[in-house]
């Protein structure tokens, strides 16, 4: 296949879709599948077949449409009319939707989401542009949206140096959490000497509540493959690996099918798009270890070793897989690349904030009216995300905090609701962007209990290689459990803070270094809750159950729980 063949394929698919009277799309992302989307799709296809409407109406499955808490979702696109999205669709309602399309009126019992709903209008979709609109298992649909055009442009009209220069000029930063400039990393890998080089897409997404990368892999797998191929051309690699979290079966299956389709069409493999560039991609499936999201552990796992980190430098871009230069970006970063090469660095750099350009995908979860997947420009405030896009807090309760960045991140309290969500602003208030998990908490959440949850997660996921992380996470979790059960002593708080500093300074990898972050940030903004648990044996949120008796403290004495007597230890 050459670029002319690619454009012919796009035109053919566009013409096929334009000949249809209507496309009815059923969200087949994991949240909607778990809510019954497959039965909805089957009902629609059966009704189309029984009505002999196959030639004019198509019922297809797509990737994630966004408002996951309202699933199963169905989108109706009638030629010449605005698209309509229906929520909580049942098989019976799906059949009503089909018949309403045939008769030209809306189904009597359905309640479509209004097209001007802020959940849709306040977003800007680049990475998620095709999610919910194309069938991820048909390469023709991706090509019809302009897919693989950027790769053709890079291969036939740009040098590898041009591509790296464009990524640098766009200001794209790694979306996996650290925010390292992608262009710098690409240039390091391009300039590093080595007979072989590799590109790795990190899809080992493990933060609780986060599913951004999973949704992109499930919904638009060819966008990732195209981004990886462009990266391979830019740095001189001929082999790529996608490291997929073990639990992401659907994502792995769709990626595998996409790779085979791309190879058959000449978009991967030897002489890609008629050029002299060859690039192959294979999938490696993780075994469920959170630490394999860290890049040195991930590489160890790809090479068949135990997933444990090692010291840097040298960095992977200098010495990575099998000692060869290796470029590692997360899925969202690579999925952004086709848009940058296709529309230009200047366009991309004009979105978002000056030092954090572009958009960011978030998994909005927790105590919010509409939870789901969103993509907004960098610099959008937390208030806009929670109250405009997410619809606010259910049940009339008050917003208390948002946990960003998963177990490596921190909390954002109500006083910082107007903080722009970008790398610099979040660092200033003591948290991080992370990979994009955003868990919203209302007034019933106990912040020491939240910190204990994340420490328990880190303790469980510690690989055990270094003592500060292995022992420190266990001891910190033990102290937090004492606090949330009302059996802690004031001195435990001091020991907890010392351990935070020790783990952050001496742990081997990012997991241990950032594990104390939830404790540090909740202590920063909600210290009074820790003190209430310790000195008053009271949980201000009413969530924790206090033990009947106090554990013996220093010298075997009991704590005098005198309200308002700080530091009293009996």
């Amino acid at each position: 296949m050459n670029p002319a063949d690619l454009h012919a394929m796009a035109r053919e698919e566009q013409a096929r879709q334009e000949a249809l009277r209507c496309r009815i799309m059923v969200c087949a992302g994991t949240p909607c599948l778990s809510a019954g989307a497959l039965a909805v799709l089957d009902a629609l296809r059966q009704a189309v077949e029984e009505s002999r409407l196959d030639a004019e109406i198509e019922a297809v499955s797509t990737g994630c449409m966004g408002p996951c808490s309202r699933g199963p979702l169905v989108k109706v696109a009638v030629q010449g009319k605005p698209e309509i999205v229906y929520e909580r669709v049942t098989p019976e309602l799906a059949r009503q939707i089909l018949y309403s399309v045939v008769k030209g009126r809306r189904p009597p019992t359905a309640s479509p989401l209004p097209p001007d709903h802020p959940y849709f209008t306040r977003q800007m979709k680049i990475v998620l542009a095709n999610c919910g609109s194309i069938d991820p298992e048909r390469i023709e649909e991706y090509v019809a949206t302009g897919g693989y055009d950027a790769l053709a442009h890079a291969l036939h009209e740009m040098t590898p140096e041009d591509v790296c220069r464009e990524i640098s000029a766009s200001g794209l930063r790694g979306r996996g959490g650290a925010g390292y400039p992608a262009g710098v990393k690409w240039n390091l890998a391009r300039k590093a000497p080595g007979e072989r080089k590799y590109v790795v897409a990190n899809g080992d997404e493990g933060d609780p509540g986060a599913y951004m990368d999973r949704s992109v892999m499930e919904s638009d797998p060819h966008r990732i493959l195209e981004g990886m191929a462009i990266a391979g051309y830019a740095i001189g690699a001929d082999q790529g690996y996608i490291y997929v979290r073990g639990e992401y079966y659907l994502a792995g299956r769709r990626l595998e099918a996409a790779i085979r389709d791309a190879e058959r069409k000449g978009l991967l493999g030897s002489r890609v798009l008629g050029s002299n560039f060859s690039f192959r991609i294979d999938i490696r499936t993780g075994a469920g270890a959170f630490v394999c999201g860290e890049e040195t552990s991930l590489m160890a796992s790809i090479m068949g070793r135990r997933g444990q980190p090692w010291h840097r430098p040298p960095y992977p871009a200098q010495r990575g897989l099998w000692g060869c230069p290796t470029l590692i970006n997360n899925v969202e970063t690579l999925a952004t690349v086709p848009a940058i090469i296709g529309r230009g660095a200047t366009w991309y750099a004009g979105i978002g904030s000056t030092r954090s350009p572009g958009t960011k995908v978030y998994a909005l979860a927790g105590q919010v009216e509409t939870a789901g997947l969103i993509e907004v420009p960098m610099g959008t405030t937390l208030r806009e995300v929670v109250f405009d896009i997410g619809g606010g807090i259910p049940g009339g309760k008050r917003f208390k905090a948002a946990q960003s960045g998963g177990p490596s991140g921190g909390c954002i309290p109500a006083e910082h609701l107007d903080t722009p969500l970008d790398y610099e602003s979040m660092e200033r208030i003591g948290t991080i962007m992370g990979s994009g998990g955003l868990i919203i908490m209302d007034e019933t959440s106990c912040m020491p209990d939240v910190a204990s949850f994340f420490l328990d997660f880190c303790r469980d996921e510690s690989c055990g290689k270094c003592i500060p992380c292995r022992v420190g996470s266990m001891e910190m979790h033990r102290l937090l459990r004492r606090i949330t059960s009302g059996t802690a002593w004031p001195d435990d708080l001091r020991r907890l803070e010392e351990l935070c500093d020790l783990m952050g300074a001496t742990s081997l990898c990012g997991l241990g270094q950032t594990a104390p972050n939830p404790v540090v940030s909740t202590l920063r903004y909600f210290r009074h809750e820790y003190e209430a648990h310790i000195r008053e044996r009271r949980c201000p949120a009413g969530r924790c159950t206090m033990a009947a008796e106090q554990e013996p403290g220093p010298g075997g004495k009991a704590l005098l729980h005198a309200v308002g007597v700080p530091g009293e230890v009996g």
Side-chain angles (χ1 to χ4, degrees):
M1 173 176 282
N2 57 37
D5 297 329
L6 182 71
H7 296 151
M9 184 197 293
R11 287 193 299 272
E12 185 178 340
E13 176 61 21
Q14 290 163 0
R16 188 193 72 80
Q17 292 185 19
E18 287 168 3
L20 294 168
R21 176 180 169 192
C22 173
R23 268 167 63 89
I24 302 178
M25 292 158 273
V26 179
C27 177
T30 294
C32 278
L33 284 176
S34 64
L38 204 54
V40 171
L41 180 64
D42 288 343
L44 272 172
R45 284 177 169 165
Q46 185 180 4
V48 168
E49 185 179 347
E50 290 171 354
S51 306
R52 299 182 178 177
L53 295 167
D54 314 51
E56 54 183 303
I57 296 179
E58 181 179 55
V60 298
S61 65
T62 71
C64 182
M65 292 184 183
C68 306
S69 62
R70 296 172 179 262
L73 297 160
V74 169
K75 185 194 298 183
V76 176
V78 177
Q79 291 289 350
K81 294 184 178 179
E83 294 180 343
I84 301 173
V85 177
Y86 294 93
E87 61 177 327
R88 301 185 176 93
V89 178
T90 62
E92 175 57 31
L93 183 53
R95 283 187 281 270
Q96 290 182 30
I97 290 171
L98 172 67
Y99 298 136
S100 72
V101 169
V102 174
K103 296 175 181 175
R105 61 171 185 261
R106 288 187 176 180
T109 59
S111 55
L113 289 168
D116 59 348
H117 194 289
Y119 193 92
F120 302 115
T121 59
R122 300 298 292 271
Q123 295 191 51
M124 180 177 188
K125 294 189 176 182
I126 296 175
V127 173
L128 303 181
N130 292 334
C131 297
S133 297
I134 66 169
D135 182 347
E137 300 190 23
R138 290 192 70 240
I139 189 172
E140 293 84 357
E141 296 204 17
Y142 179 67
V143 171
T145 67
Y148 290 105
D149 271 356
L151 177 60
H153 175 66
L155 294 180
H156 292 282
E157 299 176 47
M158 301 175 77
T159 65
E161 293 80 4
D162 290 338
V163 176
C164 288
R165 195 176 301 119
E166 199 73 359
I167 296 300
S168 296
S170 73
L172 175 65
R173 298 171 66 169
R175 297 300 195 243
Y180 192 77
V184 173
K185 190 183 275 191
W186 284 38
N187 268 310
L188 276 173
R190 182 179 67 81
K191 295 175 181 176
E195 291 185 3
R196 290 209 73 180
K197 296 182 182 179
Y198 298 96
V199 174
V200 175
N202 185 350
D204 193 46
E205 183 178 55
D207 290 358
Y211 59 97
M212 302 77 58
D213 292 344
R214 184 192 72 198
S215 295
V216 178
M217 291 188 284
E218 289 178 353
S219 307
D220 202 3
H222 286 285
R223 181 181 292 273
I224 302 161
L225 304 187
E226 186 178 6
M228 291 181 69
I230 293 171
Y233 172 68
I235 70 164
D238 62 1
Q239 176 69 53
Y241 292 100
I242 307 176
Y243 192 85
V244 183
R245 179 177 169 178
E247 294 89 337
Y248 288 0
Y249 167 76
L250 182 61
R253 185 174 66 77
R254 287 181 176 167
L255 281 167
E256 190 70 52
I259 291 170
R260 300 289 85 86
D261 283 345
E263 288 175 341
R264 279 192 288 271
K265 299 291 186 184
L267 297 165
L268 287 178
S270 301
R271 298 182 58 78
V272 175
L273 281 164
S275 71
N276 291 323
F277 172 65
S278 297
F279 192 70
R280 301 183 187 283
I281 296 177
D282 289 305
I283 293 176
R284 291 290 182 268
T285 304
F290 179 70
V291 74
C292 284
E294 193 276 338
E295 56 187 16
T296 61
S297 302
L298 180 151
M299 289 190 296
S301 180
I302 288 177
M303 292 186 288
R305 303 170 189 165
R306 183 175 180 179
Q308 287 188 322
W310 67 71
H311 283 288
R312 297 173 298 175
Y315 295 98
Q318 302 162 310
R319 186 178 173 82
L321 287 175
W322 296 284
C324 301
T326 301
L327 173 68
I328 304 178
N329 282 137
N330 94 317
V331 162
E332 185 183 342
T333 310
L334 289 164
T336 309
V337 169
I340 293 174
I341 298 302
R343 303 183 67 173
T346 304
W347 163 78
Y348 188 78
I351 301 166
S353 59
T354 304
R355 296 184 61 188
S356 298
T359 58
K360 180 76 191 80
V361 179
Y362 293 97
L364 186 61
Q367 301 302 316
V368 62
E369 281 287 354
T370 302
L373 202 67
I374 64 169
E375 183 176 6
V376 293
M378 287 278 193
T380 301
T381 67
L382 179 61
R383 186 184 299 279
E384 290 174 278
V385 168
V386 175
F387 290 94
D388 294 344
I389 297 174
I393 311 300
K397 293 188 170 61
R398 289 183 294 111
F399 171 89
K400 185 169 189 176
Q403 177 73 19
S404 67
S408 300
C411 70
I412 306 174
E415 65 200 75
H416 290 304
L417 265 171
D418 293 311
T419 298
L421 297 177
D422 58 41
Y423 292 103
E424 293 73 28
S425 301
M426 295 179 80
E427 187 177 349
R428 275 197 294 272
I429 60 173
T431 185
I432 61 171
M433 176 84 69
S435 59
L438 207 52
I439 300 174
I440 309 305
M441 292 171 278
D442 65 20
E443 59 193 276
T444 64
S445 297
C446 166
M447 302 315 285
D449 188 52
V450 169
S452 175
F453 167 80
F454 284 113
L455 247 300
D456 188 28
F457 178 86
C458 291
R459 178 193 63 160
D460 195 47
E461 293 293 343
S462 174
C463 74
K465 184 172 182 177
C466 74
I467 294 174
C469 178
R470 184 178 72 238
V471 180
S473 59
M474 290 182 63
E475 180 63 12
M476 284 184 69
H477 181 251
R478 189 183 70 82
L479 290 171
L480 284 165
R481 294 310 302 159
R482 282 169 60 96
I483 290 170
T484 54
S485 64
T487 59
W489 292 75
D491 199 45
D492 287 338
L493 201 53
R494 178 187 59 77
R495 295 172 59 202
L496 187 64
E497 290 178 294
E498 288 177 353
L499 278 171
C500 287
D501 294 338
L502 185 68
M503 275 187 68
T506 59
S507 293
L508 177 60
C509 77
L511 190 151
Q513 291 163 7
T514 58
N517 285 358
V519 180
V520 173
S521 68
T522 50
L523 272 170
R524 179 176 178 176
Y525 296 112
F526 299 96
R527 192 181 189 90
H528 59 282
E529 292 198 13
Y530 283 85
E531 292 178 341
H533 282 77
I534 294 171
R535 303 188 190 290
E536 305 168 28
R537 301 188 72 209
R538 177 180 66 85
C539 174
R543 178 171 292 272
C544 301
T545 301
M546 298 292 113
E549 296 181 0
Q550 178 75 15
E551 291 184 7
K557 299 179 180 178
L559 173 67
L560 294 180
H561 294 291
V563 176
V565 184
E568 183 63 61
V569 293

